[in-house]
Amino acid sequence: MEKNRLEAFSDGVLAIIITIMVLELKVPHSVENPHLAGLADLKDLLPVFFSYVLSFIYVGIYWNNHHHMFHSTRYVTGGILWATLHLLFWLSLFPFTTAWVGANHLAPTPVAVYGCVLLMAAIAYFILQHAIIRQQGPNSLLARAIGADWKGKLSPLCYLAAIPLAFHSVWISDGLFVFVAILWLVPDRRIERLLAKREKP
Amino acid sequence: MEKNRLEAFSDGVLAIIITIMVLELKVPHSVENPHLAGLADLKDLLPVFFSYVLSFIYVGIYWNNHHHMFHSTRYVTGGILWATLHLLFWLSLFPFTTAWVGANHLAPTPVAVYGCVLLMAAIAYFILQHAIIRQQGPNSLLARAIGADWKGKLSPLCYLAAIPLAFHSVWISDGLFVFVAILWLVPDRRIERLLAKREKP
Amino acid sequence: MEKNRLEAFSDGVLAIIITIMVLELKVPHSVENPHLAGLADLKDLLPVFFSYVLSFIYVGIYWNNHHHMFHSTRYVTGGILWATLHLLFWLSLFPFTTAWVGANHLAPTPVAVYGCVLLMAAIAYFILQHAIIRQQGPNSLLARAIGADWKGKLSPLCYLAAIPLAFHSVWISDGLFVFVAILWLVPDRRIERLLAKREKP
Amino acid sequence: MEKNRLEAFSDGVLAIIITIMVLELKVPHSVENPHLAGLADLKDLLPVFFSYVLSFIYVGIYWNNHHHMFHSTRYVTGGILWATLHLLFWLSLFPFTTAWVGANHLAPTPVAVYGCVLLMAAIAYFILQHAIIRQQGPNSLLARAIGADWKGKLSPLCYLAAIPLAFHSVWISDGLFVFVAILWLVPDRRIERLLAKREKP
């Protein structure tokens, strides 16, 4: 039951994060003539829209992974609870960095800061994963499920590279962010398969 | 349990979408004399109010249908999860399109964009429905429940017609949006009846 | 289970309504010197604060009553679902009316509109109550619990009186709103008592 | 079940409070040249960021303690319900005070008001704790778990001291707020230990 409440709270926070990001899509107000509101107004919103799409996918991936991770967890300790809050803290900065990148999509600093927050969230996820594995003891279901965890190791390296590269070309950094998102979107059935195995012995 | 968490997350996102739309009802500040705040200020808000009412009903319909759809579902696969997030993505744009239509209710572009988002949400719903039916296998409860699904097929056609028609007359498009909403508001007992049948064999 | 999901959705919407109202407490920015931010800035916020407190209590009362009402309900029909959404719609206007009254607390129109929304919410609650009683059949637990329902009948009358009286004196209307809130805050153990009776026969 | 719904509602409100605070991290818009958005813009946000971090931790602590407190509770009375809403009310003011301190971090009044809201929340928590203990009767699990409750008694004293001290030096008050947060972050296994004991007799 404890676990359920932590899941519910995380779901609530993630649901709010994913939704308030859309508030940055400010309604364009055509100054001269409201009847002329048109596609030109929308075009200005395109960078904000694309950064919204990317961040939406990232939050979706985190929700999905968090979901799988807790599926293999039974009890929640104080350490796991604070590790979850730590992860939620960095995810809660997504609306800010998303909006900043959207408003200044060619400036290197916002893109680098976006990468920093992604990096911190990845580190927080890593800490949470290890807090759960430590609590589950050796032969932990989660430990076996993630295996070598190459995705979990490659992603922070990509973010780490994207931060200085933003000052060279923001497009390289953007490309790295999209690459990592696609990496995780490709279904990862490791945990699902292991759970399935265990259930039909 | 997996299903419950997806339902809870969807409920959270839908609850936030339906509620933050009201933030677009900006409090009018009478510049000259605050004691004169009056009905004239409210009149300016009428278009925003009506677009809020319409979008509230649409989100309510989606929540209702989503609710019924998942009632007939047991397990959630990765595909169903991402199909749900895809639907939530398009629904999350409702606050933006609602506010834009409200602020420029006679301009064709916002009305056409409103129709586009409705169309994309309908397509996302269709994809989700098929992901669930595919998972349930032949003789799927949901497949039998929706039957010919004429509502699900007529709605996107109406949205598709409303998009170009907005440039002719926004009132025709608005009429189509209201028509589809009424279509779904009329109670649809298909799934309820089938579930009832199954429970008392 | 159906009932649980409607409760969860309502809880989500009510939690958001009660929380976003606080966004109207805009942070005062001392234009001249930020080091002089002081109590004078807070004084300007007092009307907004008081309207926030009142609306917070109203949403709390609705949540509490909704909670009790659904406690005596087992199944949720389409009618009950839409009656709940109808109630949530009027409650979702609270942040707007609260902010408008707060910004123009001496102007009669905002106070009258505040009363209108309270009245509509009370009517929506009444409709929901009857939808549940109708579904529960004669000898409904809820029907016996509410009895003559004098509070439920007196409240809309007070709101109805407060609307025109606001144009006479906003203080009378404000007084009526506070009076009704106190009426409901005084613990109402009708349903609790009946449930207790039933459980220990 | 009643208890579950109160937990769910509290979780919803706390999830929203913890998340909407981030909306105060306003995206800086470089007026002259959007390509020059840089670290200088971020530096201006540092005070807002630090007050956000502190408030995030405070809400996390309240959520955590609320969680433990209700773990040892079975039934929810009207008194407990309103004591919870009272606590949520004061916590709902966190986004406002956090933003005000962030915007005027050297001004004494916002810091003192921040302390007042912390004090009121601590008092509300104390009232809630006693409402639960009263309902549980003598030998209450919660009463034994909290014991002398020196943390619960020291915290309001620190807030009380921080309020007038802010007019002397805001840094002393800030230090007290950070001190209390650290006090609670250090894991408090009192309730956990007692529950563990009871479960394995």
PDB file of all heavy atoms in Angstrom, chain B residues 11 16 22 25 27-28 34 37-38 45 52 56 63-64 66-67, chain C residues 2 5-6 9 16 82 85 89 92 96 99-100 104 107 109:
ATOM      1  N   ASP B  11      -6.430   9.791 -16.100  1.00  0.00           N
ATOM      2  CA  ASP B  11      -7.390  10.606 -15.350  1.00  0.00           C
ATOM      3  C   ASP B  11      -6.731  11.890 -14.876  1.00  0.00           C
ATOM      4  O   ASP B  11      -7.333  12.967 -14.948  1.00  0.00           O
ATOM      5  CB  ASP B  11      -7.913   9.830 -14.134  1.00  0.00           C
ATOM      6  CG  ASP B  11      -8.940   8.795 -14.530  1.00  0.00           C
ATOM      7  OD1 ASP B  11      -9.268   8.730 -15.726  1.00  0.00           O
ATOM      8  OD2 ASP B  11      -9.403   8.064 -13.656  1.00  0.00           O
ATOM      9  N   ILE B  16      -6.386  17.658 -15.421  1.00  0.00           N
ATOM     10  CA  ILE B  16      -5.638  18.916 -15.516  1.00  0.00           C
ATOM     11  C   ILE B  16      -6.017  19.666 -16.790  1.00  0.00           C
ATOM     12  O   ILE B  16      -6.241  20.872 -16.765  1.00  0.00           O
ATOM     13  CB  ILE B  16      -4.121  18.643 -15.470  1.00  0.00           C
ATOM     14  CG1 ILE B  16      -3.764  17.985 -14.135  1.00  0.00           C
ATOM     15  CG2 ILE B  16      -3.330  19.922 -15.635  1.00  0.00           C
ATOM     16  CD1 ILE B  16      -2.474  17.206 -14.189  1.00  0.00           C
ATOM     17  N   VAL B  22      -9.720  26.731 -17.983  1.00  0.00           N
ATOM     18  CA  VAL B  22     -10.437  27.856 -17.381  1.00  0.00           C
ATOM     19  C   VAL B  22      -9.485  29.027 -17.093  1.00  0.00           C
ATOM     20  O   VAL B  22      -9.931  30.170 -16.948  1.00  0.00           O
ATOM     21  CB  VAL B  22     -11.189  27.405 -16.108  1.00  0.00           C
ATOM     22  CG1 VAL B  22     -10.341  27.526 -14.871  1.00  0.00           C
ATOM     23  CG2 VAL B  22     -12.477  28.183 -15.940  1.00  0.00           C
ATOM     24  N   LEU B  25      -9.898  32.121 -19.097  1.00  0.00           N
ATOM     25  CA  LEU B  25     -10.906  33.126 -18.756  1.00  0.00           C
ATOM     26  C   LEU B  25     -10.206  34.171 -17.887  1.00  0.00           C
ATOM     27  O   LEU B  25     -10.293  34.140 -16.671  1.00  0.00           O
ATOM     28  CB  LEU B  25     -12.059  32.495 -17.982  1.00  0.00           C
ATOM     29  CG  LEU B  25     -13.132  31.753 -18.754  1.00  0.00           C
ATOM     30  CD1 LEU B  25     -14.098  31.094 -17.781  1.00  0.00           C
ATOM     31  CD2 LEU B  25     -13.899  32.710 -19.659  1.00  0.00           C
ATOM     32  N   VAL B  27      -9.309  37.342 -15.851  1.00  0.00           N
ATOM     33  CA  VAL B  27     -10.097  38.298 -15.088  1.00  0.00           C
ATOM     34  C   VAL B  27      -9.988  39.667 -15.748  1.00  0.00           C
ATOM     35  O   VAL B  27      -8.886  40.176 -15.950  1.00  0.00           O
ATOM     36  CB  VAL B  27      -9.571  38.369 -13.644  1.00  0.00           C
ATOM     37  CG1 VAL B  27     -10.239  39.486 -12.887  1.00  0.00           C
ATOM     38  CG2 VAL B  27      -9.774  37.041 -12.961  1.00  0.00           C
ATOM     39  N   PRO B  28     -11.141  40.254 -16.115  1.00  0.00           N
ATOM     40  CA  PRO B  28     -11.070  41.593 -16.716  1.00  0.00           C
ATOM     41  C   PRO B  28     -10.742  42.639 -15.653  1.00  0.00           C
ATOM     42  O   PRO B  28     -11.310  42.622 -14.559  1.00  0.00           O
ATOM     43  CB  PRO B  28     -12.471  41.799 -17.282  1.00  0.00           C
ATOM     44  CG  PRO B  28     -13.358  40.836 -16.585  1.00  0.00           C
ATOM     45  CD  PRO B  28     -12.516  39.760 -15.968  1.00  0.00           C
ATOM     46  N   PRO B  34     -12.229  50.516 -10.722  1.00  0.00           N
ATOM     47  CA  PRO B  34     -12.551  49.126 -10.366  1.00  0.00           C
ATOM     48  C   PRO B  34     -13.983  48.950  -9.880  1.00  0.00           C
ATOM     49  O   PRO B  34     -14.528  47.862  -9.967  1.00  0.00           O
ATOM     50  CB  PRO B  34     -11.540  48.804  -9.257  1.00  0.00           C
ATOM     51  CG  PRO B  34     -10.917  50.087  -8.840  1.00  0.00           C
ATOM     52  CD  PRO B  34     -11.081  51.044  -9.972  1.00  0.00           C
ATOM     53  N   ALA B  37     -16.518  47.599 -12.583  1.00  0.00           N
ATOM     54  CA  ALA B  37     -16.415  46.287 -13.229  1.00  0.00           C
ATOM     55  C   ALA B  37     -17.820  45.772 -13.462  1.00  0.00           C
ATOM     56  O   ALA B  37     -18.620  45.724 -12.531  1.00  0.00           O
ATOM     57  CB  ALA B  37     -15.643  45.320 -12.349  1.00  0.00           C
ATOM     58  N   GLY B  38     -18.110  45.419 -14.680  1.00  0.00           N
ATOM     59  CA  GLY B  38     -19.513  45.119 -14.912  1.00  0.00           C
ATOM     60  C   GLY B  38     -19.753  44.084 -15.975  1.00  0.00           C
ATOM     61  O   GLY B  38     -18.847  43.394 -16.432  1.00  0.00           O
ATOM     62  N   LEU B  45     -15.938  38.298 -22.667  1.00  0.00           N
ATOM     63  CA  LEU B  45     -15.452  36.949 -22.370  1.00  0.00           C
ATOM     64  C   LEU B  45     -16.339  35.862 -22.971  1.00  0.00           C
ATOM     65  O   LEU B  45     -15.993  34.681 -22.940  1.00  0.00           O
ATOM     66  CB  LEU B  45     -15.365  36.744 -20.853  1.00  0.00           C
ATOM     67  CG  LEU B  45     -14.185  37.419 -20.160  1.00  0.00           C
ATOM     68  CD1 LEU B  45     -14.290  37.227 -18.660  1.00  0.00           C
ATOM     69  CD2 LEU B  45     -12.864  36.829 -20.659  1.00  0.00           C
ATOM     70  N   TYR B  52     -14.784  27.390 -24.138  1.00  0.00           N
ATOM     71  CA  TYR B  52     -14.466  26.590 -22.950  1.00  0.00           C
ATOM     72  C   TYR B  52     -15.526  25.513 -22.738  1.00  0.00           C
ATOM     73  O   TYR B  52     -15.203  24.336 -22.502  1.00  0.00           O
ATOM     74  CB  TYR B  52     -14.370  27.499 -21.723  1.00  0.00           C
ATOM     75  CG  TYR B  52     -14.184  26.762 -20.422  1.00  0.00           C
ATOM     76  CD1 TYR B  52     -13.121  25.878 -20.254  1.00  0.00           C
ATOM     77  CD2 TYR B  52     -15.063  26.930 -19.356  1.00  0.00           C
ATOM     78  CE1 TYR B  52     -12.939  25.192 -19.067  1.00  0.00           C
ATOM     79  CE2 TYR B  52     -14.887  26.251 -18.174  1.00  0.00           C
ATOM     80  CZ  TYR B  52     -13.829  25.383 -18.031  1.00  0.00           C
ATOM     81  OH  TYR B  52     -13.664  24.700 -16.856  1.00  0.00           O
ATOM     82  N   PHE B  56     -14.783  21.624 -22.794  1.00  0.00           N
ATOM     83  CA  PHE B  56     -15.061  20.874 -21.553  1.00  0.00           C
ATOM     84  C   PHE B  56     -15.880  19.632 -21.887  1.00  0.00           C
ATOM     85  O   PHE B  56     -15.594  18.525 -21.421  1.00  0.00           O
ATOM     86  CB  PHE B  56     -15.823  21.787 -20.584  1.00  0.00           C
ATOM     87  CG  PHE B  56     -15.955  21.235 -19.178  1.00  0.00           C
ATOM     88  CD1 PHE B  56     -15.085  21.662 -18.188  1.00  0.00           C
ATOM     89  CD2 PHE B  56     -16.921  20.311 -18.851  1.00  0.00           C
ATOM     90  CE1 PHE B  56     -15.195  21.178 -16.885  1.00  0.00           C
ATOM     91  CE2 PHE B  56     -17.034  19.817 -17.556  1.00  0.00           C
ATOM     92  CZ  PHE B  56     -16.166  20.244 -16.576  1.00  0.00           C
ATOM     93  N   TRP B  63     -13.039  11.392 -21.786  1.00  0.00           N
ATOM     94  CA  TRP B  63     -12.830  10.701 -20.513  1.00  0.00           C
ATOM     95  C   TRP B  63     -13.819   9.552 -20.373  1.00  0.00           C
ATOM     96  O   TRP B  63     -13.448   8.430 -20.008  1.00  0.00           O
ATOM     97  CB  TRP B  63     -12.972  11.686 -19.342  1.00  0.00           C
ATOM     98  CG  TRP B  63     -12.772  10.986 -18.050  1.00  0.00           C
ATOM     99  CD1 TRP B  63     -11.591  10.519 -17.542  1.00  0.00           C
ATOM    100  CD2 TRP B  63     -13.774  10.595 -17.133  1.00  0.00           C
ATOM    101  NE1 TRP B  63     -11.807   9.869 -16.357  1.00  0.00           N
ATOM    102  CE2 TRP B  63     -13.129   9.897 -16.080  1.00  0.00           C
ATOM    103  CE3 TRP B  63     -15.161  10.761 -17.080  1.00  0.00           C
ATOM    104  CZ2 TRP B  63     -13.826   9.377 -15.002  1.00  0.00           C
ATOM    105  CZ3 TRP B  63     -15.850  10.247 -16.006  1.00  0.00           C
ATOM    106  CH2 TRP B  63     -15.188   9.572 -14.973  1.00  0.00           C
ATOM    107  N   ASN B  64     -15.072   9.825 -20.681  1.00  0.00           N
ATOM    108  CA  ASN B  64     -16.145   8.844 -20.602  1.00  0.00           C
ATOM    109  C   ASN B  64     -15.856   7.636 -21.499  1.00  0.00           C
ATOM    110  O   ASN B  64     -15.928   6.477 -21.065  1.00  0.00           O
ATOM    111  CB  ASN B  64     -17.442   9.547 -21.037  1.00  0.00           C
ATOM    112  CG  ASN B  64     -18.668   8.760 -20.671  1.00  0.00           C
ATOM    113  OD1 ASN B  64     -18.560   7.637 -20.209  1.00  0.00           O
ATOM    114  ND2 ASN B  64     -19.830   9.341 -20.888  1.00  0.00           N
ATOM    115  N   HIS B  66     -12.972   6.726 -22.855  1.00  0.00           N
ATOM    116  CA  HIS B  66     -11.733   6.093 -22.413  1.00  0.00           C
ATOM    117  C   HIS B  66     -12.013   5.135 -21.255  1.00  0.00           C
ATOM    118  O   HIS B  66     -11.495   4.018 -21.199  1.00  0.00           O
ATOM    119  CB  HIS B  66     -10.762   7.202 -21.965  1.00  0.00           C
ATOM    120  CG  HIS B  66      -9.389   6.734 -21.677  1.00  0.00           C
ATOM    121  ND1 HIS B  66      -8.974   6.414 -20.413  1.00  0.00           N
ATOM    122  CD2 HIS B  66      -8.328   6.508 -22.490  1.00  0.00           C
ATOM    123  CE1 HIS B  66      -7.702   6.026 -20.462  1.00  0.00           C
ATOM    124  NE2 HIS B  66      -7.288   6.076 -21.700  1.00  0.00           N
ATOM    125  N   HIS B  67     -12.842   5.608 -20.363  1.00  0.00           N
ATOM    126  CA  HIS B  67     -13.325   4.869 -19.212  1.00  0.00           C
ATOM    127  C   HIS B  67     -14.006   3.564 -19.645  1.00  0.00           C
ATOM    128  O   HIS B  67     -13.687   2.485 -19.143  1.00  0.00           O
ATOM    129  CB  HIS B  67     -14.331   5.816 -18.543  1.00  0.00           C
ATOM    130  CG  HIS B  67     -15.020   5.310 -17.349  1.00  0.00           C
ATOM    131  ND1 HIS B  67     -14.507   5.418 -16.092  1.00  0.00           N
ATOM    132  CD2 HIS B  67     -16.226   4.698 -17.218  1.00  0.00           C
ATOM    133  CE1 HIS B  67     -15.355   4.903 -15.228  1.00  0.00           C
ATOM    134  NE2 HIS B  67     -16.396   4.453 -15.883  1.00  0.00           N
TER     135      HIS B  67
ATOM    136  N   GLU C   2     -15.938   1.087 -11.427  1.00  0.00           N
ATOM    137  CA  GLU C   2     -16.345   2.266 -12.180  1.00  0.00           C
ATOM    138  C   GLU C   2     -16.473   3.472 -11.272  1.00  0.00           C
ATOM    139  O   GLU C   2     -16.005   4.540 -11.577  1.00  0.00           O
ATOM    140  CB  GLU C   2     -17.703   1.993 -12.836  1.00  0.00           C
ATOM    141  CG  GLU C   2     -17.591   1.237 -14.135  1.00  0.00           C
ATOM    142  CD  GLU C   2     -18.709   1.621 -15.071  1.00  0.00           C
ATOM    143  OE1 GLU C   2     -19.015   2.816 -15.192  1.00  0.00           O
ATOM    144  OE2 GLU C   2     -19.292   0.712 -15.672  1.00  0.00           O
ATOM    145  N   ARG C   5     -13.250   5.141 -10.303  1.00  0.00           N
ATOM    146  CA  ARG C   5     -12.591   5.994 -11.283  1.00  0.00           C
ATOM    147  C   ARG C   5     -13.269   7.359 -11.370  1.00  0.00           C
ATOM    148  O   ARG C   5     -12.602   8.363 -11.564  1.00  0.00           O
ATOM    149  CB  ARG C   5     -12.603   5.299 -12.662  1.00  0.00           C
ATOM    150  CG  ARG C   5     -11.319   5.603 -13.377  1.00  0.00           C
ATOM    151  CD  ARG C   5     -11.238   5.037 -14.740  1.00  0.00           C
ATOM    152  NE  ARG C   5     -10.428   5.936 -15.556  1.00  0.00           N
ATOM    153  CZ  ARG C   5     -10.230   5.812 -16.842  1.00  0.00           C
ATOM    154  NH1 ARG C   5     -10.776   4.804 -17.484  1.00  0.00           N
ATOM    155  NH2 ARG C   5      -9.503   6.676 -17.496  1.00  0.00           N
ATOM    156  N   LEU C   6     -14.602   7.385 -11.205  1.00  0.00           N
ATOM    157  CA  LEU C   6     -15.289   8.679 -11.213  1.00  0.00           C
ATOM    158  C   LEU C   6     -14.869   9.495  -9.992  1.00  0.00           C
ATOM    159  O   LEU C   6     -14.648  10.704 -10.084  1.00  0.00           O
ATOM    160  CB  LEU C   6     -16.813   8.467 -11.225  1.00  0.00           C
ATOM    161  CG  LEU C   6     -17.646   9.739 -11.317  1.00  0.00           C
ATOM    162  CD1 LEU C   6     -17.262  10.566 -12.532  1.00  0.00           C
ATOM    163  CD2 LEU C   6     -19.129   9.427 -11.365  1.00  0.00           C
ATOM    164  N   PHE C   9     -11.358  10.833 -10.651  1.00  0.00           N
ATOM    165  CA  PHE C   9     -11.360  11.947 -11.599  1.00  0.00           C
ATOM    166  C   PHE C   9     -11.884  13.216 -10.914  1.00  0.00           C
ATOM    167  O   PHE C   9     -11.296  14.295 -11.053  1.00  0.00           O
ATOM    168  CB  PHE C   9     -12.217  11.594 -12.814  1.00  0.00           C
ATOM    169  CG  PHE C   9     -12.198  12.623 -13.898  1.00  0.00           C
ATOM    170  CD1 PHE C   9     -11.066  12.789 -14.683  1.00  0.00           C
ATOM    171  CD2 PHE C   9     -13.289  13.435 -14.147  1.00  0.00           C
ATOM    172  CE1 PHE C   9     -11.027  13.740 -15.687  1.00  0.00           C
ATOM    173  CE2 PHE C   9     -13.264  14.388 -15.149  1.00  0.00           C
ATOM    174  CZ  PHE C   9     -12.137  14.538 -15.922  1.00  0.00           C
ATOM    175  N   ILE C  16      -7.244  20.269  -8.365  1.00  0.00           N
ATOM    176  CA  ILE C  16      -6.665  21.297  -9.231  1.00  0.00           C
ATOM    177  C   ILE C  16      -7.390  22.624  -9.039  1.00  0.00           C
ATOM    178  O   ILE C  16      -6.766  23.676  -8.918  1.00  0.00           O
ATOM    179  CB  ILE C  16      -6.710  20.848 -10.707  1.00  0.00           C
ATOM    180  CG1 ILE C  16      -5.895  19.572 -10.876  1.00  0.00           C
ATOM    181  CG2 ILE C  16      -6.170  21.936 -11.619  1.00  0.00           C
ATOM    182  CD1 ILE C  16      -6.274  18.777 -12.091  1.00  0.00           C
ATOM    183  N   TRP C  82     -22.473  12.142 -16.116  1.00  0.00           N
ATOM    184  CA  TRP C  82     -22.600  13.473 -16.705  1.00  0.00           C
ATOM    185  C   TRP C  82     -23.088  14.498 -15.691  1.00  0.00           C
ATOM    186  O   TRP C  82     -22.725  15.674 -15.774  1.00  0.00           O
ATOM    187  CB  TRP C  82     -23.491  13.447 -17.955  1.00  0.00           C
ATOM    188  CG  TRP C  82     -22.710  12.930 -19.130  1.00  0.00           C
ATOM    189  CD1 TRP C  82     -22.784  11.691 -19.685  1.00  0.00           C
ATOM    190  CD2 TRP C  82     -21.678  13.638 -19.834  1.00  0.00           C
ATOM    191  NE1 TRP C  82     -21.859  11.573 -20.698  1.00  0.00           N
ATOM    192  CE2 TRP C  82     -21.170  12.749 -20.816  1.00  0.00           C
ATOM    193  CE3 TRP C  82     -21.117  14.914 -19.733  1.00  0.00           C
ATOM    194  CZ2 TRP C  82     -20.140  13.111 -21.687  1.00  0.00           C
ATOM    195  CZ3 TRP C  82     -20.105  15.273 -20.592  1.00  0.00           C
ATOM    196  CH2 TRP C  82     -19.619  14.381 -21.562  1.00  0.00           C
ATOM    197  N   LEU C  85     -19.933  15.567 -14.072  1.00  0.00           N
ATOM    198  CA  LEU C  85     -19.175  16.486 -14.921  1.00  0.00           C
ATOM    199  C   LEU C  85     -19.827  17.861 -14.946  1.00  0.00           C
ATOM    200  O   LEU C  85     -19.146  18.884 -14.984  1.00  0.00           O
ATOM    201  CB  LEU C  85     -19.052  15.920 -16.340  1.00  0.00           C
ATOM    202  CG  LEU C  85     -17.994  14.827 -16.503  1.00  0.00           C
ATOM    203  CD1 LEU C  85     -18.062  14.211 -17.889  1.00  0.00           C
ATOM    204  CD2 LEU C  85     -16.591  15.397 -16.268  1.00  0.00           C
ATOM    205  N   PHE C  89     -18.109  21.270 -13.876  1.00  0.00           N
ATOM    206  CA  PHE C  89     -18.020  22.428 -14.767  1.00  0.00           C
ATOM    207  C   PHE C  89     -18.238  23.721 -13.989  1.00  0.00           C
ATOM    208  O   PHE C  89     -17.446  24.660 -14.081  1.00  0.00           O
ATOM    209  CB  PHE C  89     -19.046  22.325 -15.902  1.00  0.00           C
ATOM    210  CG  PHE C  89     -19.084  23.568 -16.738  1.00  0.00           C
ATOM    211  CD1 PHE C  89     -18.088  23.815 -17.670  1.00  0.00           C
ATOM    212  CD2 PHE C  89     -20.076  24.533 -16.572  1.00  0.00           C
ATOM    213  CE1 PHE C  89     -18.080  24.968 -18.426  1.00  0.00           C
ATOM    214  CE2 PHE C  89     -20.079  25.697 -17.324  1.00  0.00           C
ATOM    215  CZ  PHE C  89     -19.081  25.910 -18.251  1.00  0.00           C
ATOM    216  N   SER C  92     -15.510  24.492 -11.719  1.00  0.00           N
ATOM    217  CA  SER C  92     -14.283  24.913 -12.409  1.00  0.00           C
ATOM    218  C   SER C  92     -14.285  26.412 -12.699  1.00  0.00           C
ATOM    219  O   SER C  92     -13.239  26.984 -13.021  1.00  0.00           O
ATOM    220  CB  SER C  92     -14.106  24.144 -13.716  1.00  0.00           C
ATOM    221  OG  SER C  92     -14.894  24.710 -14.745  1.00  0.00           O
ATOM    222  N   PHE C  96     -12.125  31.621 -11.620  1.00  0.00           N
ATOM    223  CA  PHE C  96     -12.395  32.869 -12.333  1.00  0.00           C
ATOM    224  C   PHE C  96     -13.187  33.848 -11.471  1.00  0.00           C
ATOM    225  O   PHE C  96     -12.784  34.998 -11.285  1.00  0.00           O
ATOM    226  CB  PHE C  96     -13.155  32.589 -13.637  1.00  0.00           C
ATOM    227  CG  PHE C  96     -13.681  33.834 -14.283  1.00  0.00           C
ATOM    228  CD1 PHE C  96     -12.814  34.695 -14.944  1.00  0.00           C
ATOM    229  CD2 PHE C  96     -15.024  34.174 -14.209  1.00  0.00           C
ATOM    230  CE1 PHE C  96     -13.276  35.868 -15.517  1.00  0.00           C
ATOM    231  CE2 PHE C  96     -15.497  35.348 -14.779  1.00  0.00           C
ATOM    232  CZ  PHE C  96     -14.628  36.196 -15.438  1.00  0.00           C
ATOM    233  N   ALA C  99     -11.214  35.210  -8.495  1.00  0.00           N
ATOM    234  CA  ALA C  99     -10.229  36.217  -8.873  1.00  0.00           C
ATOM    235  C   ALA C  99     -10.910  37.534  -9.222  1.00  0.00           C
ATOM    236  O   ALA C  99     -10.417  38.612  -8.889  1.00  0.00           O
ATOM    237  CB  ALA C  99      -9.411  35.716 -10.061  1.00  0.00           C
ATOM    238  N   TRP C 100     -12.060  37.456  -9.894  1.00  0.00           N
ATOM    239  CA  TRP C 100     -12.746  38.685 -10.307  1.00  0.00           C
ATOM    240  C   TRP C 100     -13.252  39.445  -9.092  1.00  0.00           C
ATOM    241  O   TRP C 100     -13.101  40.671  -9.009  1.00  0.00           O
ATOM    242  CB  TRP C 100     -13.885  38.346 -11.283  1.00  0.00           C
ATOM    243  CG  TRP C 100     -14.232  39.482 -12.193  1.00  0.00           C
ATOM    244  CD1 TRP C 100     -13.397  40.464 -12.633  1.00  0.00           C
ATOM    245  CD2 TRP C 100     -15.513  39.751 -12.775  1.00  0.00           C
ATOM    246  NE1 TRP C 100     -14.076  41.319 -13.469  1.00  0.00           N
ATOM    247  CE2 TRP C 100     -15.369  40.911 -13.572  1.00  0.00           C
ATOM    248  CE3 TRP C 100     -16.754  39.118 -12.714  1.00  0.00           C
ATOM    249  CZ2 TRP C 100     -16.435  41.448 -14.294  1.00  0.00           C
ATOM    250  CZ3 TRP C 100     -17.804  39.648 -13.434  1.00  0.00           C
ATOM    251  CH2 TRP C 100     -17.646  40.813 -14.223  1.00  0.00           C
ATOM    252  N   ASN C 104     -11.964  43.180  -7.723  1.00  0.00           N
ATOM    253  CA  ASN C 104     -12.941  44.286  -7.718  1.00  0.00           C
ATOM    254  C   ASN C 104     -13.949  44.050  -6.599  1.00  0.00           C
ATOM    255  O   ASN C 104     -15.147  43.938  -6.846  1.00  0.00           O
ATOM    256  CB  ASN C 104     -13.710  44.327  -9.058  1.00  0.00           C
ATOM    257  CG  ASN C 104     -12.808  44.332 -10.261  1.00  0.00           C
ATOM    258  OD1 ASN C 104     -12.290  45.355 -10.649  1.00  0.00           O
ATOM    259  ND2 ASN C 104     -12.604  43.153 -10.828  1.00  0.00           N
ATOM    260  N   ALA C 107     -17.190  46.147  -6.364  1.00  0.00           N
ATOM    261  CA  ALA C 107     -18.074  46.273  -7.517  1.00  0.00           C
ATOM    262  C   ALA C 107     -19.184  45.228  -7.431  1.00  0.00           C
ATOM    263  O   ALA C 107     -18.910  44.067  -7.114  1.00  0.00           O
ATOM    264  CB  ALA C 107     -17.286  46.098  -8.806  1.00  0.00           C
ATOM    265  N   THR C 109     -21.161  43.804  -9.774  1.00  0.00           N
ATOM    266  CA  THR C 109     -21.310  42.757 -10.792  1.00  0.00           C
ATOM    267  C   THR C 109     -20.487  41.508 -10.476  1.00  0.00           C
ATOM    268  O   THR C 109     -21.028  40.393 -10.513  1.00  0.00           O
ATOM    269  CB  THR C 109     -20.980  43.302 -12.194  1.00  0.00           C
ATOM    270  OG1 THR C 109     -21.703  44.519 -12.389  1.00  0.00           O
ATOM    271  CG2 THR C 109     -21.376  42.311 -13.265  1.00  0.00           C
TER     272      THR C 109
END
